[in-house]
Each structure stands twice: as C-alpha cells, then as structure tokens.
Amino acid sequence: MNTIPVSQQRTLNISVLRHNPADPDSEPHMQTFQVEDADAMTLFVALNLIREEQDPSLHFDFVCRAGICGSCGMIINGRPGLACRTLTRDLPDDITLAPLPGFELIADLSVNTGKWMRGMAERLETWVHAQGLEQIDLSAIEAPMEPELAQQLYELERCIECGCCIAACGTAQMREDFVGAVGLNQVTRFRLDPRDERTDAQFYELVGDDTGVFGCMTLLGCQDMCPKDLPLATQIAFLRRRMVAV
Amino acid sequence: MPQKLNRWPARMDLLQSGTGLLLVMFIWGHMFFESSILLGHEAMYWVTRMFEGEHLFGRPYPLLVSAAAAIVLLLIALHALLALRKFPANYRQYQRMNTHMAAMRHMDTTLWYVQVITGFLLFFLASAHLLVVLVQPDNIGPYASSDRIWSGRFWILYASLLLVVHVHAGIGIYRLAMKWGPFSAASSGLWRGRIRLALYCIVAFYLCLGTASLITYMRIGAEHAPYAGERYVPTHASGAH
Ligand code: HEM
Ligand code: SF4
Ligand code: SF4
Ligand code: FES
C-alpha cells in the first residue's frame, strides 16, 4: 500500500488510438487503460506503466523524456503536445491519445516524423550555403557575430522537430505539401545567419509559393502549440515581408 | 542563380491582403456616412448630395455613386477570387479541417473558419446591396432609403449584412496584423492580445452604430410608409417638414 500522501487519488482512463499498419489483421480502434494517478506523473510515466504492466505491445516513442529529442509528440485530448512534458495533473480523468496526424504511422502512437523532417530539410536546403566551404580552416577562429544575432539564431535553433506545429496547423492538415512552421522557421534561421550567402531571391525559390510561406493562413496553431515556445508567428511574418519584397 | 522567379504567389498574397484592407477601410468609413441619419434627415441628405458631387460641381451626378459601387464590387470580386484559393478544395480537405478544428478547440483556427463562412455569405449579401446602389444611385436619401428598408423589407438584408461584414472585417484586420505585422518575438504575444481587444471593441462599436442607424431608418420608413415613394425635400428648399 502506498503511504505517501497524495493530494487527490484518482484513476486515469487513458484511451489510445491503436493501429499497426504492419499487421494485416490490425484495425484502428480505441483501447482504454486504467492507471492510478500519482503526483508529478507525466504521460511518459503513465505510458511506460501501461507498457510494463498491462500491454507490452503498445507502441510509442521516447528518448530523452525531457523535451529535447522531439520524439514523443502526440495528440493529447485533441491537441498536439510532448508526452514527456505533459503532467497528468493538468489533464482530466479521461485522456485520449492519438498519433500526430500528417506523418507516416509506424504503430499506435509512434509516427515517422524523422522521414518528414528529412524531406522538408532537403527540399528547403536547411543548411549554410556558402562559397569555398571546403577550404575553410576549421582550427581558425570564426568571425565574431553580434551577441543579439547569435542569441536570436540560438532561439530559432531550439526547434526539436517534434512535429507538433504540423499537427496544430489547419493548412498543413489540409495540404500535405505545405512545409509548415517548422520549415518556415528553419528558412528564416538561415536567412538571418550571415554565414549563409543565399540571396532573398534564392530563398524565394524555396518558399515563394503556396506550399511555402504564402500557403500559411496565419491560424497561429503552430505558435500556440509549439512546446518549445518558438516565436513562429514573428518568424513567418518576417519571412512573408522579405519574400514579397524580392 | 535564379533565372526567372514566379512572383505571382507573392503578388496574390499581397493583393488578397491589400483588397481586404481597402474593403475594411471602406466599410468602416461607410458606417459613419450611413449613420448620419442619427443626426437627422438634413445631415443624411447632405451626405447623399456630397457623394453625388453637388458641393463640388454645383449639381448632383448620381453616376458618381454608381462608379463608387462598381469599384467596391470589383474589389470584392478580386478579393473573393483570391480568397477562394484558400477554401477547402475538396471534400477530403473540408473534412480534415473540420476534424482538426473540432479537436483543437483553438480560437484562431476557429476564427479562420468563421471568416470562410462569413466571406461566403458576403459574396451574396454585399453583392445584393451594391447592385441596388449601382443601378439606382439616385434612389438614396432620408426617405428613399427608409422606404426601401421598411416598405421594401431591405432591413432583413441589411441586418444580416451588418453582422456578417463586421465580424469578417474585424477578424480580417486581426489576421492582417498577425500576418504582416513586424512585432518582435518578445512583444508579439502582447500585441496579439492588444489587437484582439481593440478589434472586439471596434466591432462592438460598429455593430451598435449600425444597429442604431438601421432602427432609425426603419422607424422613419414605418412613419413614412403611407407616403412611400415620395422623396425628401430639404427644409431650406421647401420649408416643409
Ligand atoms: C464578398 C466576398 C468575400 C469573400 C468570399 C471573402 C472571403 C475571405 C476569406 C476566405 C478570407 C481568409 C483568407 C485567408 O485566410 O487567407 C478573407 C480574408 C479577409 N477579408 Fe474577406 N471576403 C469577402 C469580402 C470581404 C469584405 C467586404 C471585406 C471588408 C470588409 C473583407 C476583408 C477581409 C480581410 C481584411 C481579410 C484578411 C486578408 C488576409 O488574410 O490576407 N472581405 N476573406
Ligand atoms: S517549431 Fe516547435 S512545434 Fe514545430 S517542430 Fe519545432 S519545436 Fe516542434
Ligand atoms: S500560422 Fe497557421 S497556417 Fe501558418 S504555419 Fe502556423 S498554424 Fe500553419
Ligand atoms: S522524450 Fe524527448 S521530447 Fe519527449
């Protein structure tokens, strides 16, 4: 018997949308698990309890359990979020979990965000483009950067590619080829980086259409649901202004 | 190096926002002219004559009113055509958006949907109103308008148009601000709240102003119903009324 006093003992009903596309007999269905709530319990803990004690076949992804790796994004009561950063005490007794929509389903709550993100990165060329990178002397001291700019780039680099902004975006849900806030944010990150020599016209070629910045309808779901609180609205508006000025 | 950029997506985005902005400026200005009836028959008559260019040319040219209506109609057509690109393109997209919106319970996503629906309604309501002005530009005035509103039952059109256009315009300006506004990352949330609050107030103000004017037109129209069709004669010209 657990004698540690808890503020409120309650049983969570965690319903999971289950489906394994690799299994020909699998049909999508909801399965509900009962879990005793505990103080400071996260969904990460609750899902692990379910897998250890009730159903070892339950699929979900975790690596860092600290909001850093971006693998545990899922739909929690209708909204995207990181399971490892979601405390059960902030949720009602009935919790519904579903995989992030817009990504290839691996099984149950596990989706292939990595494949999507790689496709996006290759398409938007989210790396520094500059002449003569091969000749750069890596042991030489880099040219200094203004601290404010470095801080700003650092802020934008905090994106963990969790995919929550794609699941939170009505545009991305309607149009599969939309690069989403994660893609637009990364383009602005390189647009701001003085080491990247690309011109605005070159960036325009990457995002200057309705699959890019002009597809965004400013629904701001991305801004409101990003677990890393990235300033996505500011970045997208900035990119939009730059791209119409080309 | 880029050879030839397709600048049309940028132009269309800018044009969609630009026509939206112009239309909102128009409707917000329009409300003050329309509500001149609150200051009396004489005030509204004066405004009517001003738009017909009487104060400028010495005699009224109703064609000027037709021209203004035609320009607004054109702006609406352009705006609607550009906005149409953003409508769900097929049933699958519509269904995905619906499911997404219901699950998210997210204000700005829902507001977009409201904008799509009000935009769709405006297509009919605004066009109906503007077409009447376009073909009968001389049929505007304290009695002419009131008769149309009361005896002609146009109040039904105007009451719906009032609500729909101001909701659409308010959300539109909010979206424009967030879409283009150069707010810093640190202050963006603050501005978003302020702009939202300001627009609640502005929309509420225009709805009150519009309702008050519409009721005034209806009252005048009801009183004038037995003489429906008779035109207003300014006091300084006839000494009557
Ligand atoms: C009559 C037909 C109309 C239709 C079909 C229509 C439709 C729409 C739609 C669907 C949007 C959202 C577009 C997006 O999210 O990108 C929109 C935006 C907007 N509308 Fe309209 N609308 C109409 C008339 C008006 C009128 C009369 C006004 C002014 C009072 C107006 C002002 C705006 C503004 C300011 C925006 C924001 C523009 C933007 O997001 O770039 N619209 N409209
Ligand atoms: S922008 Fe935010 S929500 Fe989107 S992938 Fe990056 S961290 Fe996740
Ligand atoms: S602002 Fe809206 S449409 Fe644009 S990327 Fe974010 S959620 Fe999507
Ligand atoms: S487990 Fe790494 S972000 Fe949640």
Side-chain angles (χ1 to χ4, degrees):
Chain A
M1 184 63 192
N2 185 357
T3 52
I4 302 170
V6 288
S7 44
Q8 191 188 12
Q9 191 63 46
R10 59 171 189 160
T11 305
L12 302 172
N13 300 310
I14 302 183
S15 306
V16 181
L17 176 55
R18 301 205 58 180
H19 179 49
N20 186 349
D23 174 1
D25 298 330
S26 171
E27 288 277 334
H29 66 283
M30 299 303 294
Q31 186 177 353
T32 304
F33 303 95
Q34 262 90 38
V35 178
E36 288 301 307
D37 197 8
D39 264 0
M41 187 193 247
T42 62
L43 277 180
F44 159 77
V45 174
L47 284 168
N48 272 293
L49 278 177
I50 293 173
R51 185 151 69 184
E52 276 164 24
E53 297 171 359
Q54 302 185 35
D55 190 340
S57 74
L58 184 66
H59 283 76
F60 55 89
D61 293 328
F62 287 94
V63 180
C64 71
R65 53 160 177 64
I68 298 166
C69 71
S71 42
C72 67
M74 57 184 68
I75 299 291
I76 306 160
N77 284 347
R79 293 181 180 143
L82 297 179
C84 73
R85 291 256 307 245
T86 304
L87 291 164
T88 52
R89 69 157 174 256
D90 296 334
L91 296 171
D93 295 353
D94 296 322
I95 301 169
T96 305
L97 302 178
L100 285 184
F103 298 99
E104 181 187 303
L105 180 68
I106 296 171
D108 300 336
L109 299 173
S110 172
V111 292
N112 199 344
T113 46
K115 184 175 165 190
W116 193 100
M117 293 295 166
R118 188 184 172 97
M120 178 275 292
E122 285 174 355
R123 181 168 140 209
L124 297 182
E125 304 182 19
T126 54
W127 55 85
V128 166
H129 288 51
Q131 300 285 315
L133 278 179
E134 299 78 17
Q135 284 88 50
I136 282 184
D137 177 4
L138 291 177
S139 56
I141 294 176
E142 266 189 90
M145 190 186 280
E146 287 299 324
E148 294 83 40
L149 182 59
Q151 180 64 32
Q152 197 183 0
L153 291 186
Y154 174 74
E155 272 293 307
L156 305 183
E157 276 282 299
R158 285 171 45 248
C159 169
I160 55 175
E161 301 197 343
C162 61
C164 287
C165 56
I166 299 302
C169 173
T171 310
Q173 290 310 307
M174 282 200 293
R175 296 168 226 274
E176 266 136 36
D177 51 359
F178 180 53
V179 297
V182 53
L184 298 174
N185 173 61
Q186 293 192 13
V187 170
T188 16
R189 179 241 171 279
F190 288 98
R191 166 64 178 67
L192 290 169
D193 195 326
R195 291 166 295 190
D196 196 317
E197 293 169 359
R198 278 178 285 184
T199 61
D200 274 354
Q202 281 169 300
F203 283 115
Y204 188 100
E205 285 198 280
L206 300 171
V207 291
D209 62 15
D210 274 9
T211 66
V213 70
F214 301 124
C216 164
M217 306 192 294
T218 323
L219 309 176
L220 302 184
C222 56
Q223 163 95 32
D224 295 337
M225 304 285 157
C226 172
K228 304 304 280 184
D229 290 327
L230 259 65
L232 299 169
T234 302
Q235 297 315 314
I236 297 172
F238 168 78
L239 191 61
R240 196 189 291 275
R241 293 195 306 273
R242 292 272 72 76
M243 290 302 102
V244 293
V246 165
Chain B
M1 275 320 271
Q3 309 94 34
K4 213 162 171 293
L5 292 179
N6 177 7
R7 288 204 171 70
W8 277 106
R11 285 184 196 135
M12 288 201 278
D13 202 44
L14 204 57
L15 216 57
Q16 182 189 333
S17 291
T19 49
L21 182 68
L22 282 177
L23 286 167
V24 174
M25 292 303 121
F26 162 75
I27 193 71
W28 284 359
H30 170 289
M31 293 308 291
F32 284 102
F33 300 122
E34 179 225 309
S35 58
S36 58
I37 195 72
L38 293 174
L39 300 178
H41 296 40
E42 196 61 21
M44 195 230 165
Y45 185 77
W46 189 87
V47 170
T48 313
R49 286 297 144 124
M50 178 190 72
F51 279 111
E52 290 175 356
E54 186 176 88
H55 308 300
L56 214 60
F57 308 116
R59 85 176 195 76
Y61 290 95
L63 214 63
L64 290 176
V65 176
S66 289
I71 291 172
V72 176
L73 211 54
L74 224 72
L75 274 177
I76 288 188
L78 191 57
H79 174 80
L81 231 75
L82 290 165
L84 219 59
R85 302 173 305 149
K86 308 285 177 176
F87 276 45
N90 50 48
Y91 185 67
R92 210 179 87 86
Q93 287 192 357
Y94 165 80
Q95 212 173 20
R96 286 199 123 197
M97 188 69 194
N98 247 352
T99 320
H100 171 74
M101 190 178 57
M104 284 268 289
R105 293 159 284 130
H106 174 250
M107 172 109 160
D108 289 39
T109 304
T110 310
L111 285 184
W112 181 78
Y113 213 64
V114 173
Q115 214 173 11
V116 169
I117 293 166
T118 50
F120 184 71
L121 291 175
L122 276 177
F123 197 77
F124 303 101
L125 298 175
S127 313
H129 169 44
L130 283 160
L131 281 175
V132 170
V133 175
L134 186 76
V135 298
Q136 304 183 342
D138 49 347
N139 202 15
I140 298 172
Y143 286 154
S145 299
S146 299
D147 286 340
R148 178 165 44 236
I149 285 171
W150 185 255
S151 305
R153 304 244 198 314
F154 262 64
W155 63 268
I156 302 169
L157 171 71
Y158 289 147
S160 354
L161 181 57
L162 178 70
L163 180 69
V164 170
V165 80
H166 285 291
V167 167
H168 189 91
I171 303 173
I173 291 293
Y174 168 62
R175 195 179 305 290
L176 279 185
M178 298 317 294
K179 198 168 169 181
W180 299 98
F183 308 116
S184 74
S187 69
S188 166
L190 188 64
W191 278 110
R192 189 173 166 196
R194 283 180 184 157
I195 292 169
R196 211 186 258 183
L197 182 66
L199 283 161
Y200 277 134
C201 297
I202 293 172
V203 169
F205 166 74
Y206 280 117
L207 287 180
C208 291
L209 187 71
T211 308
S213 318
L214 188 57
I215 289 176
T216 308
Y217 281 116
M218 287 165 76
R219 213 198 58 231
I220 297 172
E223 281 166 9
H224 195 251
Y227 319 101
E230 270 176 34
R231 302 299 296 260
Y232 177 73
V233 184
T235 37
H236 58 81
S238 73
H241 285 294

